[in-house]
Amino acid sequence: HVQLVESGGGSVQTGGSLRLACSESRYFDTFTCMAWFRQGPEKVREGVASIEPDGTVAYSDSVKGRFTISRDIARNSVFLQMNSLQPEDAAVYVCAADPRPGPCHYKNVGDFRYWGQGTQVTVS
C-alpha cells in the first residue's frame, strides 16, 4: 500500500530555515499531484503548496516568497524548503499525493487521495 513518509521537521528560531521531505519508496512514480498541508494547534488543516505533473506550483499567500515546493523523481521525494520561518508557521506538516490525472491545487483537499502522518515544525 502507499506509504508517504515525511521527515525534516524540528525546532528552529524565528527567521530560520527547514527543509521537509516526503518520500514513497514503491509508488512515487504513479503520483501526479503532490502537496503540503499543515495543521496547527487549532487543528485546522491548511493547504500550503502544491505541485502538478508539469511543474506548475501554487502557494498560499501566507507562505508565498518564503517556501518552495519541489519534486525529485529520481529520489522518490517531494520537498518543502521553508525560509524565514515565523512562529505562526509552527504546525504539523503533512504531505499529500494523488495518482489521478487532471489539475490539482492545495486549496482542494479532495484532490489528494494519499496522506502522510506528518512531521512537527516548531518555531520560537
Side-chain angles (χ1 to χ4, degrees):
H1 64 283
V2 173
Q3 190 169 10
L4 297 171
V5 180
E6 300 97 335
S7 61
S11 182
V12 296
Q13 293 185 333
T14 298
S17 298
L18 284 174
R19 188 186 190 216
L20 306 183
C22 172
S23 302
E24 209 295 332
S25 60
R26 297 183 63 186
Y27 300 102
F28 189 87
D29 60 353
T30 68
F31 299 152
T32 52
C33 298
M34 300 198 74
W36 287 95
F37 292 77
R38 65 187 181 187
Q39 189 164 316
E42 300 81 14
K43 304 301 183 184
V44 175
R45 181 168 289 178
E46 175 192 6
V48 174
S50 54
I51 184 166
E52 297 188 61
D54 64 357
T56 300
V57 297
Y59 299 95
S60 68
D61 288 343
S62 60
V63 307
K64 194 174 296 182
R66 300 187 297 122
F67 290 12
T68 303
I69 187 171
S70 62
R71 180 173 180 161
D72 188 335
I73 295 175
R75 296 172 66 181
N76 292 339
S77 298
V78 64
F79 302 96
L80 186 68
Q81 177 67 43
M82 307 188 296
N83 299 328
S84 302
L85 283 161
Q86 304 298 312
E88 54 266 33
D89 295 317
V92 174
Y93 283 73
V94 181
C95 172
D98 198 90
R100 294 168 291 185
C104 62
H105 199 277
Y106 68 83
K107 291 183 179 179
N108 303 322
V109 173
D111 286 349
F112 302 94
R113 179 176 297 176
Y114 303 116
W115 296 81
Q117 294 298 308
T119 184
Q120 178 72 52
V121 171
T122 304
V123 186
S124 60

